[in-house]
Structures are given as C-alpha cells and as structure tokens.
Amino acid sequence: MISDVEAWLGAFQGKVREDIFNFIIDNKYNIHHYRNLHAKVILGDNLCLVGSANLTAMGITQRLEMSILLDENNHINEIREWFEHSWSSSGEINIPELKDYIKKNTTITPRLEEQNSYLNSDAPIIKSKILPEPKNLKKKASKSNAKESDEVWNGRDFYVNIGEGRHRNWDDCRKYGFISAGSEKKHSRHLERLLSGSRIFVYIPKKIGYVGVGLVTDTAVRVKDFTVLFNGQQVPILDVPLVAPKMDEYADDLDKSEYLVRIEWIKTVPKSQAYWEKDLFANPNIVCEMKSIESRLTIEKLSQYFGLND
C-alpha cells in the first residue's frame, strides 16, 4: 500500500486517527509514505480499479464518484509498473518520526502550502500514461486475446514475492528450503495457491530482483509445525539459528502466524547476485500465476539465468 500518510492522518481526529496510527504501526512493512500522492488505485492480479473516490466510507458510499474497472493486460501491466516504481522509489515509514508528526499536528491538516511539518519522503513525481486501444481493435478481440493468454499457462509456474523483514529472510529460506508469508491472514492465505509440484520464481522487492527457482513439495503450515534437517536430525525450525529475528512472534496465533511452504530448490543465488532488468515481471502480490505475456517472457529470461532446461 502506498499513501500520503500526512493527508491520511491529518483528515481525522480522535479515535479514528488513533486507529489509523495503530494500523500503520501494525503494517509498517507493507505501507510506504508518498507525499502529495492523490491517485486512487486498487490493483489485483487480473483487474484494476482506477477512480476519483477516496478509499474511505464517505468516499465509497456517500459521494458521487466515478471509477473505471480495467481487465486488459496491457493496461494492468502499465499500472503495475507505475506501482512498483512508486513503491521502490519511496520508503518505509519511520515510526519515531511518525509519532513526532502526530504530536505536532493535532488538528485536521490545513492546505499543503500552509503546513510546516512533514513526514520524510524522497519519492519523485512519477507519471504514467495509459494509452487507449487502437480504434480498429474491438473489445471482443481484446477479450479473446486475454483468454488465449490464460489458456497457454502451463498450470504450474508461479511468481512469489518475498518481502524481507523481522519475520522472514531470504537467507533462511534458501538454507532451510521454504518460502513464507504471515503477519495477517490476508497475506498468508495466498500461499494456499501453491500445491505440490508447483514451480515458483522468487522475487525480492525494493530493487533487488529474482533470487531463486524451486518446486513446491508440500502445502503451507504454521511456523511452529514446520521442521527442517539440522545436524542430521529433523527439528522444529524455531529451534535452529535464523537470520529473521521474529519469525516466532505470532507462532500461536492462527491468523498472524508466519506460514511456511516447503521448497526443493532448483537454483538459488544470494541477494547480491539477484537478477533484474527492465521489463521483467514484478507484482506487489505475494503469489500470482505467471500467465501474462510479460511473465512468460520473464520465465524465458530466468530460465537462461538459472540454467533451466524448460
């Protein structure tokens, strides 16, 4: 999620502002501050909603607004590129700075030119032009092409986004053979799409790149139930040395627990050797099918980089 956190917090007071603040604290690794951002976009795997409505109760239910639902791959991919660029160009929220901002700004935010206290954001202004379809290309043909793209998917190749933090680290994934997600059920539930035999291409965001390819050998389980081979014995992963300092933080919470999927790695590289170049497929979602034209071209390049035979 990318938001102008100043405007978000400044528009509310009392309990609502406190709830927003606590939400930001709980999800700080999934929220970036982008000052003066005014775009309203909801981006999914195959659909994108772009409109004028603020994502608030009033904006959604009490005002006359207009939104456009896009399902064309080329439009969605361009918006996804804009999002990835915006995400990588901005940064995580500094919590002490956020608390200081809350103290200094106790009333509803004035106009931006009147403000004298700002959260830090180095993000540039990024523009994205969405071109219309050629006039001679009918909507029916567009849908037909999208369907054809879906039909050629091999049914096993998935993109996996590993967002590193206190609950997970690529070095642990690589060493012990797993990928993971957690902190909220809405994150970990994406792992349910990965079944035994699925092939995954692992991506680390924030200008890192692709770091591994492997085969799923088992479905997702809670971190407390996941075992690894250590010193010749199968032991709980929470009993072995880990780089991620807080993988066990929500181990007893069904919703917030980290969930792990066992992987047989075909090829991995350290983050310092991650593969990335312009126009490779990237997506903020944790898991998605690699079935678009862009992702299929990405698989071809990754197959060369990782030395795959197919």
Side-chain angles (χ1 to χ4, degrees):
M1 175 180 178
I2 306 173
S3 177
D4 183 338
V5 176
E6 293 176 11
W8 189 10
L9 285 166
F12 299 93
Q13 292 179 302
K15 181 64 165 56
V16 175
R17 176 186 270 202
E18 182 181 344
D19 289 343
I20 295 171
F21 174 76
N22 290 331
F23 177 83
I24 293 172
I25 296 293
D26 292 341
N27 297 276
K28 68 174 185 175
Y29 296 108
N30 297 312
I31 300 174
H32 278 193
H33 170 53
Y34 195 132
R35 187 165 171 254
N36 291 344
L37 178 69
H38 200 246
K40 291 91 174 179
V41 179
I42 301 175
L43 180 63
D45 286 345
N46 303 303
L47 294 172
C48 181
L49 187 70
V50 181
S52 64
N54 290 326
L55 303 182
T56 62
M58 179 171 287
I60 298 298
T61 64
Q62 299 182 35
R63 286 179 173 165
L64 181 61
E65 305 280 358
M66 179 178 178
S67 296
I68 298 174
L69 184 64
L70 301 173
D71 61 0
E72 295 89 350
N73 285 339
N74 60 326
H75 289 171
I76 294 172
N77 288 338
E78 186 174 357
I79 294 172
R80 182 173 294 118
E81 182 179 350
W82 168 83
F83 181 91
E84 282 287 313
H85 194 177
S86 300
W87 179 269
S88 61
S89 298
S90 54
E92 294 178 0
I93 296 171
N94 183 298
I95 299 304
E97 188 180 67
L98 179 65
K99 292 179 179 178
D100 185 60
Y101 176 82
I102 291 288
K103 291 179 182 178
K104 290 182 179 180
N105 294 272
T106 57
T107 59
I108 292 181
T109 304
R111 294 193 305 271
L112 286 172
E113 61 267 24
E114 297 175 354
Q115 277 187 242
N116 56 15
S117 176
Y118 303 108
L119 293 176
N120 181 51
S121 176
D122 296 326
I125 298 299
I126 300 171
K127 297 181 180 179
S128 179
K129 182 179 180 182
I130 301 177
L131 298 176
E133 295 286 348
K135 291 182 179 180
N136 61 349
L137 183 62
K138 296 181 179 180
K139 182 72 176 180
K140 182 177 181 180
S142 176
K143 287 187 175 181
S144 175
N145 290 339
K147 183 178 180 180
E148 181 180 353
S149 174
D150 291 350
E151 288 177 349
V152 299
W153 182 52
N154 60 19
R156 67 164 184 160
D157 284 338
F158 289 86
Y159 161 96
V160 174
N161 184 332
I162 292 289
E164 289 191 305
R166 60 183 181 176
H167 298 127
R168 73 197 64 86
N169 185 278
W170 170 241
D171 292 339
D172 294 331
C173 297
R174 189 180 179 209
K175 181 177 181 179
Y176 296 114
F178 70 91
I179 53 98
S180 69
S183 297
E184 289 186 56
K185 193 64 177 177
K186 67 179 182 181
H187 301 316
S188 59
R189 66 179 175 82
H190 290 280
L191 300 178
E192 296 173 3
R193 302 172 67 179
L194 300 176
L195 304 176
S196 182
S198 298
R199 185 170 66 168
I200 63 168
F201 293 87
V202 181
Y203 172 82
I204 301 180
K206 298 182 182 179
K207 299 181 180 179
I208 301 297
Y210 284 90
V211 290
V213 55
L215 297 176
V216 174
T217 61
D218 207 348
T219 53
V221 299
R222 269 201 292 172
V223 63
K224 64 186 297 183
D225 300 321
F226 193 85
T227 63
V228 297
L229 186 64
F230 185 73
N231 290 337
Q233 295 183 342
Q234 285 289 330
V235 298
I237 192 170
L238 295 180
D239 291 344
V240 304
L242 295 170
V243 178
K246 294 291 184 178
M247 182 174 271
D248 64 340
E249 184 171 12
Y250 302 118
D252 294 320
D253 189 315
L254 279 173
D255 291 332
K256 291 187 175 182
S257 172
E258 194 76 2
Y259 281 77
L260 282 66
V261 175
R262 194 175 302 280
I263 304 296
E264 179 184 328
W265 293 119
I266 298 172
K267 176 71 175 181
T268 63
V269 296
K271 291 189 287 287
S272 61
Q273 297 177 28
Y275 176 61
W276 179 254
E277 63 178 72
K278 185 181 178 181
D279 296 329
L280 287 183
F281 177 80
N283 191 300
N285 291 324
I286 294 171
V287 175
C288 62
E289 299 165 351
M290 298 190 76
K291 60 184 180 181
S292 67
I293 294 175
E294 181 187 17
S295 61
R296 294 204 306 274
L297 293 175
T298 296
I299 290 175
E300 291 180 8
K301 293 183 177 181
L302 293 176
S303 294
Q304 295 177 8
Y305 181 74
F306 290 119
L308 306 180
N309 294 323
D310 60 342

